[in-house]
Structure formats: structure tokens, C-alpha cells
């Protein structure tokens, strides 16, 4: 009887310790460093368990080119120059967040544009913003919800 | 070779065709182009944006399927968030 009680107590303690360990790992895994630099590199490997993320990451690297892709991995964002407005760049974050509109090094506003349906991998979302801005900036700006500096809180 | 990619929750779905083979009468290559054209039209009906991409050239929005394109990316419908 005492033996069984020890096993049960040991199991409960093991589960609690595992949960604490997972929570600890989760805290690090969600930091910007991991989200922008570590996970993208790992996603490119054939053993990555989520094929959609691997495919999207590979496509992003293919379409950006090596230099731009490395810059994105280092900075955690992608700067896309405006095709029509000199001095303006669109700063696309990797992962959650709004696109920043920067003019002559000054943040002007933030834009929110997202796919109508959920489930697009992060890398595809970065690509989506870049291609839409480059190919039809006007339509992109008309679709976006604009958050000018005056209403930030 | 041309490729049509549709961004989706799978990462991207793609169909590849060989234009020169199609021009030489290869039935499989012609069927691949027809299939790509059908997917293109279907995605456009759903509100997707089609963008033609090529190395060292800015992305170009297209309204009609272009079998001569090297790479076409279909972006699903977007909304303001």
C-alpha cells in the first residue's frame, strides 16, 4: 500500500515538474529572438514536423534571395521601399504585429492587413505583404486599416 | 518551366508546366497549362490576387493567366484587420 502511494506521489511530482519545464521552455520559445532567428532557421530543415511551415519558409527564402532573407532573420522585420512614394518604407514584422509606415526615418502610421481566412504560415504572411505592396500599393493601402500616431495608446 | 503557387495553410500548393513542351504538342504539358489556368481562374473568383514574380524584377500584378510567366503567386483574399 505504501509502495503504491509512493508511486502515485512520484508520478504527480513528475507531471508537475514536466509542466513547469514546458512552461519555462515556452517562455523562451516565444521571445522575439527565438521567433525571428531560431525557429525560421529550424523550419528549413526536412525534419521540421510542420510541413506547411517548412514549405512557406523555403518559398520565402527563394523569393527574397539569400541576402534579403538573412537580413529578415537578423532584424525580425522586412523593409519594403514604397514603389511610388520616395522616402517611404513599409516595415513588415515577422510574426504578429502591424506593418509600420516609415517616411524619412520617422514612423508615420501602422497598417493592419490580414488574410481573410486563418491558417497562413508566418513566412507566407511576410511574403503576402511584400508582394501586395510591390505589385499594387494603392490597393494595399485601400484595403488596410490605418492607425495614425494620434490614436495609438 | 512555369510554376503557379497558391499560398494556403499548406504553405503553398503548386502546379508546374513546361511551356516549350506544350508548344511542341506534348499533351501532358498542355494539360498542365490548362489545369494551372483553371486554378488561376478559380482562385481569382475567390478574391485572390495574382502576382507575377521574376528574379531581380519587382512583383507585377496580373489579371489574366500568363503561361509565359516564370512564376505566379496567388495570394488569398486579404482584409483590413
Amino acid at each position: 500500500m505504501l509502495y503504491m502511494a509512493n508511486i502515485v506521489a512520484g508520478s504527480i511530482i513528475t507531471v508537475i515538474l514536466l509542466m513547469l519545464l514546458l512552461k519555462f521552455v515556452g517562455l523562451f520559445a516565444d521571445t522575439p529572438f527565438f521567433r525571428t532567428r531560431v525557429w525560421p532557421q529550424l523550419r528549413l530543415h526536412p525534419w521540421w514536423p510542420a510541413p506547411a511551415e517548412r514549405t512557406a519558409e523555403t518559398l520565402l527564402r527563394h523569393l527574397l534571395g539569400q541576402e534579403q532573407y538573412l537580413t529578415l532573420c537578423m532584424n525580425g522585420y522586412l523593409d519594403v521601399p514604397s514603389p511610388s512614394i520616395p522616402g517611404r518604407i513599409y516595415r513588415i514584422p515577422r510574426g504578429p504585429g502591424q506593418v509600420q509606415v516609415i517616411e524619412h526615418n520617422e514612423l508615420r502610421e501602422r497598417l493592419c492587413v490580414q488574410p481573410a481566412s486563418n491558417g497562413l504560415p508566418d513566412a507566407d504572411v511576410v511574403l503576402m505583404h511584400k508582394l501586395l505592396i510591390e505589385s499594387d500599393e494603392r490597393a494595399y493601402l485601400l484595403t488596410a486599416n490605418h492607425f495614425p500616431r494620434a490614436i495609438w495608446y | 518551366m512555369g510554376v503557379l503557387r497558391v499560398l494556403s495553410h499548406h504553405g503553398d500548393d503548386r502546379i508546374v508546366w513546361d511551356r516549350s513542351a506544350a508548344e511542341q504538342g506534348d499533351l501532358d504539358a498542355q494539360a498542365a497549362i490548362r489545369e494551372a489556368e483553371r486554378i488561376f481562374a478559380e482562385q481569382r473568383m475567390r478574391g485572390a490576387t495574382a502576382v507575377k514574380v521574376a528574379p531581380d524584377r519587382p512583383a507585377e500584378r496580373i489579371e489574366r493567366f500568363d503561361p509565359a510567366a516564370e512564376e505566379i503567386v496567388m495570394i488569398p483574399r486579404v482584409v483590413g484587420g
Side-chain angles (χ1 to χ4, degrees):
Chain A
M1 195 66 180
L2 184 63
Y3 178 69
M4 283 299 291
N6 281 342
I7 288 179
V8 170
S11 302
I12 291 171
I13 289 170
T14 306
V15 168
I16 290 171
L17 285 175
L18 276 174
M19 285 171 69
L20 286 174
L21 182 68
L22 282 174
K23 199 168 175 86
F24 188 68
V25 170
L27 281 176
F28 279 101
D30 206 30
T31 58
F33 175 80
F34 272 81
R35 213 171 46 227
T36 60
R37 296 190 189 179
V38 178
W39 297 139
Q41 296 294 331
L42 294 178
R43 281 186 204 127
L44 291 170
H45 292 281
W47 47 260
W48 185 254
E53 291 181 357
R54 188 176 66 234
T55 309
E57 198 66 39
T58 308
L59 178 64
L60 180 65
R61 189 178 62 172
H62 163 66
L63 288 180
L64 289 187
Q66 188 69 11
E67 192 182 329
Q68 209 174 13
Y69 180 75
L70 285 176
T71 308
L72 168 66
C73 289
M74 285 299 293
N75 296 337
Y77 57 78
L78 180 68
D79 282 343
V80 176
S82 164
S84 62
I85 304 168
R88 171 184 280 197
I89 59 167
Y90 296 93
R91 182 159 289 172
I92 304 164
R94 185 195 269 278
Q98 296 169 326
V99 172
Q100 297 179 356
V101 179
I102 298 170
E103 287 181 0
H104 305 289
N105 296 320
E106 193 176 324
L107 183 57
R108 290 287 180 187
E109 63 174 346
R110 291 179 173 155
L111 306 174
C112 192
V113 178
Q114 59 190 37
S117 55
N118 292 329
L120 220 54
D122 281 355
D124 274 352
V125 174
V126 173
L127 196 58
M128 173 198 89
H129 287 293
K130 174 185 156 56
L131 294 179
L132 289 176
I133 291 167
E134 285 182 350
S135 64
D136 196 346
E137 183 185 18
R138 188 170 171 273
Y140 181 83
L141 291 172
L142 285 173
T143 306
N145 268 342
H146 294 247
F147 297 89
R149 292 195 69 161
I151 62 165
W152 293 351
Y153 54 86
Chain B
M1 295 290 276
V3 58
L4 174 74
R5 299 177 188 272
V6 182
L7 302 188
S8 71
H9 62 280
H10 301 128
D12 66 298
D13 302 310
R14 78 197 81 161
I15 180 163
V16 180
W17 65 89
D18 184 341
R19 191 181 179 216
S20 57
E23 284 172 350
Q24 286 164 14
D26 185 310
L27 294 179
D28 286 342
Q30 289 172 356
I33 290 180
R34 278 198 303 274
E35 178 65 2
E37 198 164 2
R38 186 190 66 75
I39 293 170
F40 184 95
E42 184 184 277
Q43 291 297 321
R44 290 284 294 130
M45 287 279 287
R46 291 183 188 170
T49 304
V51 177
K52 187 162 78 170
V53 292
D56 303 322
R57 285 171 60 185
E60 180 191 343
R61 182 174 176 158
I62 54 173
E63 302 298 328
R64 286 182 167 200
F65 178 71
D66 178 7
E70 202 173 303
E71 200 158 355
I72 299 171
V73 180
M74 304 290 302
I75 301 163
R77 190 169 73 86
V78 294
V79 293

